[in-house]
Amino acid sequence: MTKQLSSDAAPTPGAKTESSPVTAPEEPKDAAASTNKSGCCADCKDLFLYDSGRKDVQAFYFNQFGRSILFISFMFLSLGVLQLAYQSAGCPQNEDGSYEKCGNTVYGMLPSDILAMMALIGGLSTAAFMPYAGAVVDFSDHRLTFGKVCVTILVLINFVQIFIFESTWFAMVVAQSFLAASTFMANSMVLWSYVNAPTDHDLHGITSSGRLWETIGMLSFFIVVGVVQFASGWDSVVIARFSQALASVVGGVCLFLSYKRYEPVKAVKTLENGKSLYVAGIVEIGKTSFSLWKTEPSVFVFLLAAVFNEAAIGSFTNLAITYLAEQLQMSSMSIIIFIVINFATNPLGVITHRFIARKIGHKKNYL
């Protein structure tokens, strides 16, 4: 780039004026650096906080982070429950902290069956509660209030689980199975009902950023609690108490900030006279499924795949911990390290998915 230099005074008539090209490298470099910096910052903001100027999008990010912490804290609670179940059954402990399969039962079950039972009851209670939750979201003006009630119950259950002892652990199992699982999924339903965007491209940007915050929440929580256990030498029960206390505070604050940003929403559908919300929810599920099967069979197949996939993911945590502890005889510290390594790849997967989807399209990327 060149600049034409000139004197402030007017040139003398008849005098020869000369112009000399002079390079000015500093300004363009500064401008380029500023542009690159601005572009880099914009890219980072789009990655983590896409369209974060909207209050409902901010609420989505806070909710994703908070609920992921409450979700992942269950892994540490599971390890504490498993330890107390083995102790109650009178099974001997190995030198590395794992427990022998002694064949004794507690509450009519093997200790290794407790987590599987929790997954089963949690799945059934959630399936029974979701039609009502969906009907409240669609057919009533109380979507926001319903979400607040659900997250309050969820956070309170996590707080109560701080007091897990040999005399209380089974009551904690019941509360987790019947209440925590269903209220967690109900909050998720409210969360996704607020997500919207003018285009599919923007919607993908918002959901990708939300997924990244969800992954960051789980991974960071796991690392913090894992480091505390490694440094303190606490057993699984004490770590379970610590994790529930930490999750109640951090997750509860994030969910509070989330619901503070949501606005009340009117009903999007009209409830027929004399029909209860629960019946309306079941009927709506049937209508939607039948309509998809008739008009969009490929979407109906995708829906079935998503249903089974969600059920598998919900049960994976309990079954994986049971397998690692029961079959591989891994200690709680070894299980935590194993899961941290597994979670460490998640942010990379989310970023890769986002990049490829924006290049080739979301449908092709999914396939």
Side-chain angles (χ1 to χ4, degrees), residues 16 123 288 330:
K16 215 181 213 184
T288 302
M330 292 176 66

Side-chain angles (χ1 to χ4, degrees), residues 253-273:
V253 168
C254 288
L255 290 175
F256 170 78
L257 293 174
S258 173
Y259 276 90
K260 196 173 181 182
R261 285 164 170 76
Y262 284 133
E263 297 291 339
V265 177
K266 294 290 185 181
V268 295
K269 295 179 182 179
T270 303
L271 185 66
E272 295 179 13
N273 291 332

Side-chain angles (χ1 to χ4, degrees), residues 84-156:
L84 290 171
Y86 276 113
Q87 289 177 357
S88 298
C91 295
Q93 188 175 19
N94 300 319
E95 292 183 0
D96 62 354
S98 62
Y99 284 85
E100 294 183 7
K101 295 182 288 185
C102 63
N104 296 343
T105 60
V106 56
Y107 293 102
M109 297 174 286
L110 292 171
S112 58
D113 294 338
I114 296 292
L115 298 186
M117 183 270 293
M118 290 177 68
L120 175 62
I121 295 177
L124 292 175
S125 62
T126 299
F129 186 61
M130 283 304 98
Y132 176 77
V136 172
V137 169
D138 285 348
F139 292 96
S140 80
D141 301 337
H142 307 299
R143 180 188 305 187
L144 181 59
T145 303
F146 177 72
K148 288 179 179 179
V149 171
C150 287
V151 296
T152 300
I153 294 173
L154 177 62
V155 173
L156 285 176

Side-chain angles (χ1 to χ4, degrees), residues 188-206:
S188 299
M189 181 172 290
V190 175
L191 157 81
W192 288 109
S193 71
Y194 274 98
V195 176
N196 66 88
T199 66
D200 287 344
H201 186 78
D202 289 334
L203 183 62
H204 180 263
I206 293 169

Side-chain angles (χ1 to χ4, degrees), residues 158-271:
N158 277 265
F159 177 78
V160 168
Q161 287 168 344
I162 297 172
F163 307 100
I164 181 172
F165 297 97
E166 192 166 358
S167 58
T168 62
W169 70 268
F170 193 72
M172 303 301 180
V173 167
V174 174
Q176 179 69 32
S177 302
F178 283 98
L179 295 176
S182 56
T183 52
F184 177 86
M185 291 304 298
N187 168 62
S188 299
M189 181 172 290
V190 175
L191 157 81
W192 288 109
S193 71
Y194 274 98
V195 176
N196 66 88
T199 66
D200 287 344
H201 186 78
D202 289 334
L203 183 62
H204 180 263
I206 293 169
T207 55
S208 295
S209 293
R211 174 59 179 163
L212 195 57
W213 281 111
E214 181 183 23
T215 304
I216 291 171
M218 289 190 290
L219 182 60
S220 58
F221 184 84
F222 228 105
I223 291 174
V224 168
V225 179
V227 169
V228 169
Q229 181 172 20
F230 180 78
S232 64
W234 292 340
D235 65 13
S236 297
V237 177
V238 180
I239 282 295
R241 296 175 192 143
F242 171 77
S243 72
Q244 296 310 104
L246 183 61
S248 299
V249 173
V250 179
V253 168
C254 288
L255 290 175
F256 170 78
L257 293 174
S258 173
Y259 276 90
K260 196 173 181 182
R261 285 164 170 76
Y262 284 133
E263 297 291 339
V265 177
K266 294 290 185 181
V268 295
K269 295 179 182 179
T270 303
L271 185 66

